[in-house]
């Protein structure tokens, strides 16, 4: 349906399905009137058929908003990961947490290589990890470590950091597993196709 006058509600209704189908039914009512079947009640018949047509018309379909392309999101995420790496390079972490962070960074870098992640949900999880979860975990560690020096005796903050980084790594591993399974299925399907085509 035409959308050349988005700001004019009158023209939107004139061009709407409800009005067009109502008009078609109203014209049918005029046809009935010309046969003499409606008699003196012809205005009621025409208006009634118009109203009935407008009521039974399907609703206007609202177009989907433009959604960002996954490839564009991943490209932006790669740039954000580089920024995050620059921040993390300035933070002094204990060896265990540093090792977990290195594993997570390696996995994130692999997942964000072009052409792997094509699912919006996977892109959302990775974006949350890069833009929120990892920076927040490290910042919370830094702040808590400072207070632990002032008020000793509390649980070491590196333990929470290690657990957080481990949970994020597990989340990314699940994405990697799903990508591996998809590629394995693709390979098996292609093998069957080639064998069936060759008559094996």
């Amino acid at each position: 349906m035409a959308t050349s006058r988005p700001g004019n509600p009158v023209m939107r209704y004139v061009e709407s399905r409800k009005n067009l189908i109502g008009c078609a039914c109203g014209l049918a009512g005029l046809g009935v009137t010309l046969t003499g079947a409606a008699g003196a009640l012809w205005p009621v018949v025409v208006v009634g058929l118009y109203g009935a047509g407008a009521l039974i018309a399907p609703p206007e379909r609202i177009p989907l908003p433009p959604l960002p392309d996954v490839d564009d999101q991943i490209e932006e995420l790669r740039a954000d990961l580089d920024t995050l790496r620059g921040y993390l390079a300035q933070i002094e972490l204990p060896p265990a947490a540093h090792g977990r962070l290195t594993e997570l960074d390696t996995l994130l870098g692999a997942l964000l290589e072009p052409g792997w992640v094509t699912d919006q949900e996977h892109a959302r999880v990775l974006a949350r990890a890069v833009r929120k979860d990892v920076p927040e975990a490290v910042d919370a560690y830094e702040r808590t470590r400072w207070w632990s020096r002032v008020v000793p005796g509390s649980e070491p903050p590196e333990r929470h950091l290690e657990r957080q980084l481990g949970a994020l790594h597990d989340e990314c591993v699940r994405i990697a597993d799903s990508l591996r399974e998809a590629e394995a299925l693709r390979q098996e399907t292609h093998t069957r196709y080639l064998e069936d085509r060759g008559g094996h």
Side-chain angles (χ1 to χ4, degrees):
M1 198 56 55
T3 56
S4 57
R5 302 175 181 83
N8 190 329
V10 174
M11 291 308 301
R12 280 205 307 269
Y13 181 77
V14 167
E15 297 175 347
S16 70
R17 292 179 185 173
K18 287 185 175 296
N19 182 55
L20 295 177
I21 293 177
C23 288
C25 292
L27 287 174
L30 285 176
V32 171
T33 300
L34 292 177
T35 65
L41 296 177
W42 70 267
V44 176
V45 172
V46 172
V47 171
L49 285 174
Y50 173 87
L55 285 174
I56 65 170
E60 295 292 324
R61 182 179 176 276
I62 300 173
L64 289 171
L67 298 174
D69 185 77
V70 174
D71 289 338
D72 293 339
Q73 294 178 61
I74 296 301
E75 187 175 346
E76 292 175 5
L77 272 177
R78 282 199 300 274
D80 291 341
L81 180 60
D82 288 339
T83 301
L84 176 62
R85 285 168 171 165
Y87 161 72
L88 295 174
Q90 304 173 60
I91 307 295
E92 182 182 345
L93 297 176
H98 185 271
R100 285 192 174 273
L101 184 60
T102 300
E103 292 176 355
L104 177 60
D105 176 78
T106 301
L107 185 51
L108 283 169
L111 289 170
L112 293 177
E113 284 294 316
W116 288 116
V117 173
T118 58
D119 182 82
Q120 284 282 358
E121 178 61 20
H122 289 167
R124 186 185 67 79
V125 171
L126 295 174
R128 186 179 60 200
V130 170
R131 293 172 177 160
K132 183 177 186 298
D133 293 336
V134 174
E136 187 171 322
V138 173
D139 183 63
Y141 162 76
E142 279 280 278
R143 291 171 176 271
T144 309
R145 182 177 65 164
W146 187 87
W147 282 108
S148 296
R149 292 171 179 170
V150 177
V151 186
S154 57
E155 184 178 7
E158 56 266 24
R159 289 184 186 170
H160 281 288
L161 178 60
E162 291 167 23
R163 288 167 58 190
Q164 291 166 3
L165 295 175
L168 289 170
H169 184 268
D170 291 345
E171 195 172 44
C172 291
V173 165
R174 287 193 289 272
I175 295 177
D177 283 342
S178 70
L179 294 177
R180 179 187 52 79
E181 290 168 4
E183 291 302 321
L185 178 61
R186 176 174 170 239
Q187 185 183 39
E188 291 170 10
T189 302
H190 192 56
T191 299
R192 286 196 300 270
Y193 162 72
L194 293 176
E195 290 178 347
D196 292 344
R197 190 178 69 182
H200 293 293

